[in-house]
Amino acid sequence: MPGKITQYFRDKKDDIQDYTGGNGVIGKFVLAILLVYLLVTTILGMYWSSEPDTFSVREHTRALASDMGREPVTGFATTATMIQLAETLLDKPGGYISNDIFPPGLWMDNMPNWEFGVLVQLRDLSRAMRKDISRSQSQSAEDADLIIAEPQFHFDSGSWAIPSTEREYRRGINALKRYLDRLSHPEQPNAQFFARADNLNNWLADLETRLGSLSRTLSESVGKASVSEALANLNPDDPLAEDTGGDDVKTPWTKIDDVFYEARGSAWALLHIFKAIEVDFRKVLQDKNAMASVKQIIIELEGTQQPMWSPVILNGSGFGVLANHSLTMAAYLSRANAAISDMRDLLSRG
């Protein structure tokens, strides 16, 4: 049997040599080109997979205000941070990868999921800016540039041509830059940023559901019982009857790293957004005694950005020998979500 296998590969080698000219020079040349191409794409893929570092929101705000020759008015830090997040999404090593159709971007899945996590937070905040934060009341007109920015960030994240995702997101970034220019211009009163408790509370309500969903999906890496099935199996006529358990809900092992990196991208974006909120909403946070909650949220989000020392996302059982990175991430997000719930309660009080 080993002799037959050896002869099979020898015959295949001879066939290839015959096809490429007998001496195999062309074949060796093609093989060398392929090997070099694979090596280059592998190295690029490793480099492109590195997540962007965090940046100082306060330093970035001061530097941008100085470059523009403006005062960092209320709303400047939040808008400038949104612009920086969006530009990082497009200008980081490898650029925007989610819509790549050639290697190495085509082979990568962790970074596209990280990008989607950042994008979700940009979409939610741009909607809150257009719907609430830039308007004094429900009958106020929407800001002209935010009308453009918000739908641009909702453009298909995977479109690579006619039009490309990058082009549409650039339009959203440019609209935010125009809004920031008008907001910080003393002679442009039509751009507004209302740092009120109700506006912030509305955005936090949406964020609470986002983080709750991510925490649940992350914790399902080890399988958890479904609440809906548990309720469906209850016997309403016999309160002493034993519950009939259903199947556990578990994230497929092929999706574990996808969910993890989406959560990590969301947390990276939220870390900067909350630092900007700490600046622009400082007065209302102090009036509502909610500054401690913001600090707690930032601390938990910083925990999600600790360096990854493992080359793969481990999925050990909850109390097993191996680590479970998904449960660790879920713990940080759950504590951040609890602080958001406390913060909303404080903001809603008179």
Side-chain angles (χ1 to χ4, degrees), residues 74-210:
T74 300
F76 196 101
T78 300
T79 310
T81 299
M82 288 180 65
I83 294 170
Q84 182 65 14
L85 294 178
E87 288 183 334
T88 301
L89 197 63
L90 301 182
D91 299 333
K92 60 180 173 53
Y96 184 73
I97 296 174
S98 296
N99 62 347
D100 283 5
I101 60 174
F102 295 107
L106 180 64
W107 300 337
M108 300 168 63
D109 63 344
N110 291 342
M111 184 51 65
N113 283 287
W114 185 93
E115 291 175 344
F116 185 72
V118 176
L119 183 59
V120 167
Q121 300 308 324
L122 279 173
R123 288 172 172 176
D124 287 351
L125 185 54
S126 63
R127 183 175 61 249
M129 291 274 287
R130 174 184 177 181
K131 183 170 66 77
D132 296 317
I133 298 175
S134 65
R135 305 170 65 198
S136 60
Q137 55 186 353
S138 61
Q139 300 301 316
S140 301
E142 295 179 332
D143 186 89
D145 286 316
L146 294 180
I147 289 176
I148 297 173
E150 191 255 343
Q152 290 305 124
F153 290 121
H154 281 79
F155 184 77
D156 180 12
S157 61
S159 177
W160 65 276
I162 316 176
S164 68
T165 300
E166 291 92 335
R167 180 181 175 184
E168 298 304 300
Y169 292 172
R170 292 286 183 194
R171 289 187 61 195
I173 292 171
N174 291 334
L176 284 177
K177 288 181 177 179
R178 292 193 299 269
Y179 168 74
L180 181 62
D181 180 66
R182 291 187 295 111
L183 181 66
S184 59
H185 199 293
E187 298 179 3
Q188 292 281 352
N190 59 334
Q192 301 291 333
F193 187 100
F194 296 96
R196 299 198 311 257
D198 58 331
N199 290 339
L200 182 57
N201 209 352
N202 290 339
W203 173 71
L204 289 173
D206 292 337
L207 177 58
E208 197 172 11
T209 61
R210 290 284 190 196

Side-chain angles (χ1 to χ4, degrees), residues 197-332:
D198 58 331
N199 290 339
L200 182 57
N201 209 352
N202 290 339
W203 173 71
L204 289 173
D206 292 337
L207 177 58
E208 197 172 11
T209 61
R210 290 284 190 196
L211 292 186
S213 177
L214 278 175
S215 297
R216 175 70 189 189
T217 309
L218 286 165
S219 63
E220 286 172 358
S221 63
V222 295
K224 299 188 71 174
S226 170
V227 175
S228 58
E229 286 193 17
L231 291 175
N233 293 330
L234 285 177
N235 185 350
D237 300 323
D238 187 3
L240 296 179
E242 294 289 343
D243 293 344
T244 304
D247 295 333
D248 287 347
V249 178
K250 189 172 183 178
T251 304
W253 68 271
T254 56
K255 300 293 183 182
I256 295 293
D257 58 336
D258 297 347
V259 175
F260 177 86
Y261 276 99
E262 180 185 343
R264 195 164 164 95
S266 286
W268 181 86
L270 286 173
L271 173 60
H272 297 93
I273 291 172
F274 271 100
K275 287 183 177 181
I277 285 172
E278 185 183 15
V279 174
D280 287 331
F281 288 83
R282 176 171 293 272
K283 186 177 185 303
V284 69
L285 292 173
Q286 290 174 339
D287 290 344
K288 298 290 186 178
N289 295 319
M291 188 62 75
S293 296
V294 175
K295 293 291 188 183
Q296 184 64 42
I297 294 168
I298 291 174
I299 289 172
E300 301 301 341
L301 292 175
E302 286 175 338
T304 66
Q305 301 304 303
Q306 296 179 25
M308 278 290 300
W309 298 109
S310 173
V312 295
I313 303 303
L314 297 178
N315 190 42
S317 59
F319 298 98
V321 176
L322 296 179
N324 188 301
H325 294 126
S326 297
L327 292 183
T328 303
M329 179 67 72
Y332 281 118

Side-chain angles (χ1 to χ4, degrees), residues 44-60:
L44 277 178
M46 295 173 62
Y47 176 59
W48 291 0
S49 295
S50 58
E51 301 168 38
D53 294 330
T54 57
F55 60 90
S56 172
V57 168
R58 285 179 169 83
E59 288 182 8
H60 175 69

